[in-house]
């Protein structure tokens, strides 16, 4: 009986020991696995390709010029002797085409006639150049500057009127009143006058008459000029505050001179008597 009890106790102790051993090694194994997984994840080497990409990436900067940024249009004028194109299409000073030629031939003509080469159309094939005198270049620069100045700005209203030089007096008065109303609203007014074949009207004097009778606050934005045979145009605008003050001062001076002349007129007639 004692032996049986002793054997039972030994068996129970062995079972408890095995159970404890399994629990211990199970916990140890799980802990080791977690540490191994963590160490592997923390030791991950970044992709060298990604690293090089980020290393070569430039920071965004608005001051940097893009390769695709369009070239600014060069100012109208002589290009001198530096011409990057081998073959050119050349136009002479009278506006007649001389055809395609080598740049050396174009430079020879330029020197021979004492002219200058001006680039007209760079995107053409071949690029178009024109032989021009210094006076022609200056006049063209003035025309372009005037055209740019006269072009409508964003938010600016431009009205247009067109009639013939033989317009009836009543119709001209109606149009002049309309111009005055637009000027008061600070609109730009483009006037185009067509001269009829049998008319001897001075177009520029007619423009001056419209300006004088239309509105005291109007002035020329673009002075009268002939755009083609028998057709002339101009653009009127509202005077600035500074211009209005100067204009009023000038009118006052004119009126005072006129009054002084009137006062002196009787005195001179008395002396003659």
């Amino acid at each position: 009986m004692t032996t049986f009890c002793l054997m039972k106790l030994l068996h129970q102790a062995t079972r408890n020991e095995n159970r404890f051993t399994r629990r211990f090694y199970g916990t140890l194994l799980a802990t080791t696995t977690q540490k191994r997984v963590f160490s592997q994840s923390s030791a991950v080497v970044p992709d060298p390709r990604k690293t090089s990409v980020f290393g070569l990436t430039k920071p965004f900067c608005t001051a940097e010029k893009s390769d695709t940024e369009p070239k600014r249009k060069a100012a109208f004028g002589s290009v001198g002797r530096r011409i990057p194109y081998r073959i050119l299409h050349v136009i002479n000073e009278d506006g007649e085409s001389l055809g395609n030629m080598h740049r050396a031939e174009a430079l020879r003509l330029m020197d021979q006639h004492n002219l200058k080469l001006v680039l007209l159309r760079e995107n053409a094939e071949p690029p178009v150049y024109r032989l021009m005198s210094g006076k022609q270049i200056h006049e063209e620069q003035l025309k372009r500057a005037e055209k740019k100045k006269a072009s409508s700005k964003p938010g600016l209203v431009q009205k247009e009127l067109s009639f013939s030089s033989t317009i009836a007096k009543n119709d001209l008065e109606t149009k002049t009143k309309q111009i005055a109303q637009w000027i008061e609203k600070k609109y730009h007014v483009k006037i185009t006058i067509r001269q009829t074949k049998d008319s001897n009207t001075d177009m520029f004097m007619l423009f001056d008459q419209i300006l004088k009778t239309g509105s005291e606050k109007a002035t020329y934005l673009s002075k009268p000029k002939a755009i083609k045979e028998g057709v002339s145009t101009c653009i009127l605008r509202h005077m600035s505050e500074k211009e209005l003050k100067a204009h009023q001062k000038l009118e006052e001076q004119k009126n005072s001179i006129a009054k002084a002349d009137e006062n002196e007129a009787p005195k001179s007639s008395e002396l003659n008597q």
Side-chain angles (χ1 to χ4, degrees):
M1 186 67 179
T2 303
T3 303
F4 176 76
C5 289
L6 183 60
M7 290 178 63
K8 189 174 180 180
L9 289 171
L10 289 173
H11 180 68
Q12 184 68 30
T14 302
R15 288 178 61 186
N16 291 338
E17 184 179 357
N18 291 339
R19 188 181 302 168
F20 175 80
T21 302
R22 285 196 300 270
R23 286 181 180 178
F24 175 78
Y25 282 105
T27 305
L28 180 63
L29 180 63
T31 305
T32 305
T33 304
Q34 290 177 357
K35 288 183 178 180
R36 186 177 299 169
V37 171
F38 178 78
S39 63
Q40 289 177 354
S41 63
S42 62
V44 173
V45 179
D47 189 347
R49 293 174 297 177
K50 293 182 179 179
T51 304
S52 62
V53 170
F54 284 110
L56 296 175
T57 302
K58 293 183 179 180
F60 174 77
C61 180
T62 55
E64 294 182 1
K65 293 184 179 180
S66 172
D67 294 336
T68 59
E69 184 180 355
K71 296 180 180 179
R72 292 184 179 179
K73 189 175 180 181
F76 184 87
S78 173
V79 297
R81 305 185 70 86
R82 296 183 180 181
I83 301 174
Y85 308 103
R86 192 171 65 90
I87 301 299
L88 318 174
H89 184 90
V90 181
I91 298 173
N92 66 11
E93 60 179 324
D94 297 325
E96 300 173 351
S97 174
L98 300 179
N100 298 343
M101 63 179 67
H102 194 277
R103 61 187 169 196
E105 179 64 18
L107 291 173
R108 187 188 67 80
L109 289 174
M110 180 182 75
D111 294 336
Q112 181 180 352
H113 298 283
N114 194 23
L115 299 172
K116 302 178 186 296
L117 274 171
V118 177
L119 177 61
L120 295 185
R121 293 189 297 276
E122 188 174 12
N123 296 329
E125 187 60 36
V128 180
Y129 285 77
R130 180 176 177 180
L131 292 164
M132 301 179 73
S133 65
K135 182 180 178 181
Q136 286 177 319
I137 293 174
H138 179 65
E139 290 176 352
E140 183 63 26
Q141 287 173 341
L142 290 177
K143 288 180 182 178
R144 294 190 176 209
E146 189 176 0
K147 184 177 180 181
K148 184 178 180 181
K149 184 179 178 181
S151 61
S152 298
K153 299 178 182 178
L156 182 66
V157 179
Q158 178 170 295
K159 298 292 185 178
E160 295 188 13
L161 281 176
S162 180
F163 49 88
S164 69
S165 59
T166 56
I167 184 172
K169 184 178 179 180
N170 293 338
D171 293 337
L172 181 60
E173 290 176 355
T174 302
K175 291 186 180 296
T176 303
K177 290 179 182 178
Q178 180 64 72
I179 291 170
Q181 292 175 4
W182 285 337
I183 293 296
E184 288 295 327
K185 294 180 180 180
K186 297 188 177 181
Y187 294 164
H188 287 180
V189 183
K190 182 177 181 180
I191 306 172
T192 303
I193 302 177
R194 302 180 307 277
Q195 189 168 24
T196 56
K197 294 181 180 179
D198 300 332
S199 173
N200 295 324
T201 304
D202 188 326
M203 307 286 274
F204 291 171
M205 287 185 64
L206 182 56
F207 281 121
D208 289 341
Q209 179 186 345
I210 295 171
L211 175 65
K212 185 177 180 180
T213 58
S215 173
E216 294 180 354
K217 300 178 181 180
T219 186
Y220 285 119
L221 174 65
S222 175
K223 291 185 177 181
K225 60 181 178 181
I227 55 176
K228 60 182 180 180
E229 187 178 358
V231 181
S232 300
T233 185
C234 76
I235 300 177
L236 303 181
R237 66 171 176 85
H238 192 282
M239 288 186 187
S240 65
E241 293 297 328
K242 185 177 180 180
E243 289 173 326
L244 277 173
K245 290 179 180 179
H247 176 69
Q248 291 171 356
K249 186 176 180 180
L250 183 62
E251 289 298 320
E252 289 175 359
Q253 291 177 353
K254 288 181 179 179
N255 292 335
S256 62
I257 291 172
K259 288 180 180 179
D261 291 341
E262 290 177 359
N263 293 333
E264 289 178 0
K267 294 180 181 179
S268 60
S269 60
E270 290 175 1
L271 291 173
N272 294 331
Q273 291 176 357

